[in-house]
Amino acid sequence: MAAQPASPAPVQEPGLRARKKQRTRDALIEAAHRLFLGQGFARTTVDEIAGAVDVSQRTFFRYFANKDEVALAVLAEAEDHFIELLRARPAEETPFQAMRAAIVGSWRERGAGHDTGPGSVTAALELIRMIENTPTLLAAHLRRVTEQEQVVIRVLAEREGVDPAGDLRPAVLAAAFGGVLRAAHLSWSADQEETGPEGMIALIDRHLDLLAPALVGDWRR
């Protein structure tokens, strides 16, 4: 009589450890942002952030090198996600259309299910204001933005089949687009009529609509 095949050994759910680590990281970011926005960046300590999540300072430093890094974490992730969306845009779109669709998609996805609280669009924009008003954070943020701009240049060059070393259009578009986005972020205010992701998207659209007229239009007409 043939031996029956052995029953497969139970397999532990894949990614369980990774998901637990991600939850801890997300909790630290949320606690940090809540403290930063509530009492200011300078007054908030690493011990307070760790304590709010009921973990040790040592655990905090497994995820973040310092307060600056946790403060910039959400924006860094948003920038990475924008690049992912840009890579995925249809080839028939112009570079500007692809970038515009990617940033709209990024903000819309960010706002899904987060109308209020640390994960909301409002909280993200308040963090941007905090970063702009904190010299050490602003310096770190601008370094990160510069690095990401180089990635965007490469993505645009690959999409269009051009060499960015000789063709300056990817670099010019990436710089102009980044500058317009920063202007849109800084022009936002918490008491504006439109709130949430759609309010931010509308604000970005108004700024992007003025990009070409501002560059080549006659301002006196």
Side-chain angles (χ1 to χ4, degrees):
M1 183 174 178
Q4 294 296 318
S7 299
V11 178
Q12 186 176 6
E13 185 179 359
L16 183 61
R17 180 183 175 87
R19 287 198 299 275
K20 184 177 179 181
K21 290 178 69 176
Q22 186 63 48
R23 284 196 298 270
T24 301
R25 186 177 188 275
D26 291 344
L28 286 167
I29 292 172
E30 183 173 327
H33 290 184
R34 187 169 58 249
L35 289 165
F36 292 155
L37 297 178
Q39 64 188 32
F41 178 78
R43 293 181 59 191
T44 300
T45 67
V46 168
D47 282 337
E48 285 179 306
I49 298 169
V53 183
D54 199 23
V55 299
S56 66
Q57 186 186 87
R58 183 177 179 181
T59 297
F60 173 91
F61 287 121
R62 289 198 193 112
Y63 293 89
F64 303 101
N66 47 46
K67 282 199 310 178
D68 291 19
E69 191 172 304
V70 73
L72 297 172
V74 167
L75 295 185
E77 290 173 359
E79 290 156 5
D80 289 340
H81 186 51
F82 162 72
I83 290 173
E84 289 176 8
L85 294 179
L86 178 59
R87 289 186 191 277
R89 295 307 304 170
E92 60 268 22
E93 291 180 343
T94 67
F96 182 77
Q97 288 171 336
M99 293 184 77
R100 188 167 191 162
I103 197 62
V104 167
S106 178
W107 275 105
R108 191 160 283 150
E109 288 181 27
R110 173 170 187 80
H114 295 286
D115 294 331
T116 59
S120 68
V121 170
T122 297
L125 291 165
E126 287 174 348
L127 281 168
I128 289 174
R129 287 193 178 279
M130 182 191 78
I131 289 167
E132 290 283 341
N133 293 320
T134 308
T136 57
L137 285 181
L138 181 57
H141 176 59
L142 291 178
R143 281 197 301 273
R144 166 80 184 184
V145 167
T146 300
E147 292 168 359
Q148 290 297 87
E149 188 174 288
Q150 294 303 309
V151 178
V152 171
I153 290 168
R154 291 196 295 272
V155 172
L156 293 176
E158 290 169 5
R159 279 178 54 90
E160 301 305 310
V162 300
D163 181 2
D167 192 326
L168 299 179
R169 287 175 295 178
V172 170
L173 178 57
F177 195 88
V180 171
L181 288 186
R182 187 177 182 209
H185 296 162
L186 293 178
S187 69
W188 174 87
S189 62
D191 59 354
Q192 66 185 45
E193 291 183 8
E194 295 176 282
T195 59
E198 296 306 320
M200 189 65 240
I201 289 167
L203 189 58
I204 289 172
D205 278 339
R206 287 199 293 273
H207 280 71
L208 290 176
D209 285 342
L210 291 173
L211 178 57
L215 293 176
V216 299
D218 185 346
W219 291 13
R220 297 184 183 182
R221 288 185 180 179

